[in-house]
Amino acid sequence: MQKQSWLVTNDRQGKAFEMSSPPEGLNRPYRLYRFLTELEDILENITDDRLRLAAISPLVRKLLNHASWLEILPIAPDPQTGWEVLMLYDEPLFPLTVQLVAWSPGMKSPIHNHGCWGLVALLRGTEKNTFWERSPTVESPDRIQPVGDRLLVPGDILCLMPDAIHHIEAIGNSPTISFNLYGETDYSQRFEFDPIQGTAKNF
């Protein structure tokens, strides 16, 4: 039996409805649902984290160029903790989280890796990222040392591999707000590092 589509009009009569394809090249906003759909295609078709990030970055920039609503979402650092996270998307059994993160001026994160690929796009403020690498010794197998830093300003995108180690600091007099995207976390490989004690602990 051939399947049909129906249109119900104001007189409550159901009529056969001829479906049409949307016009080619329709100029429409690049909305979050479309972004997530294209992300899902990338996650299904590209398994290498570096290649995934290379494919995802242009989509993030496209979203940020269209999503003016991100600028008006109610997020500000918590006065008690100095930071805040607003979850935009987190679906059980789907390897992706999307969030906005706000930091108060002068706040620093712990030194950490993420145990997953990640992407940070700065929307407001200035964020200093300091990068670290493992430098183990027999006495201190979790020893790390700094290897450089980078200032992010609005419009910059930072891609992180699962074992990349960094910490951030909100620079200047205004809070930072960033758009953060993370893959599926391997919690056994996500660490917070203490460079003084030369230790690492899961978090």
Side-chain angles (χ1 to χ4, degrees), residues 47-166:
T47 57
D48 180 85
D49 287 334
R50 186 183 299 272
L51 296 178
R52 276 181 171 176
L53 287 166
I56 290 169
S57 295
L59 298 185
V60 170
R61 194 167 296 285
K62 183 177 178 182
L63 177 69
L64 298 183
N65 286 340
H66 285 81
S68 56
W69 52 270
L70 287 171
E71 295 289 338
I72 60 174
L73 287 177
I75 181 170
D78 185 302
Q80 304 271 329
T81 63
W83 60 279
E84 187 63 75
V85 173
L86 175 63
M87 193 66 68
L88 298 179
Y89 181 83
D90 184 17
E91 181 177 336
L93 305 180
F94 188 66
L96 186 72
T97 57
V98 184
Q99 45 187 243
L100 293 185
V101 181
W103 290 87
S104 295
M107 287 295 296
K108 292 183 180 180
S109 75
I111 302 170
H112 63 283
N113 70 336
H114 289 277
C116 64
W117 60 263
L119 183 149
V120 177
L122 201 65
L123 303 180
R124 278 188 246 163
T126 304
E127 180 181 285
K128 180 182 179 182
N129 276 259
T130 300
F131 306 108
W132 302 73
E133 70 177 6
R134 288 181 178 271
S135 181
T137 64
V138 174
E139 301 80 16
S140 184
D142 292 315
R143 179 175 177 267
I144 58 172
Q145 62 181 12
V147 291
D149 54 59
R150 182 168 295 277
L151 282 180
L152 299 186
V153 297
D156 287 347
I157 292 177
L158 178 69
C159 295
L160 298 163
M161 293 289 281
D163 55 355
I165 304 169
H166 75 143

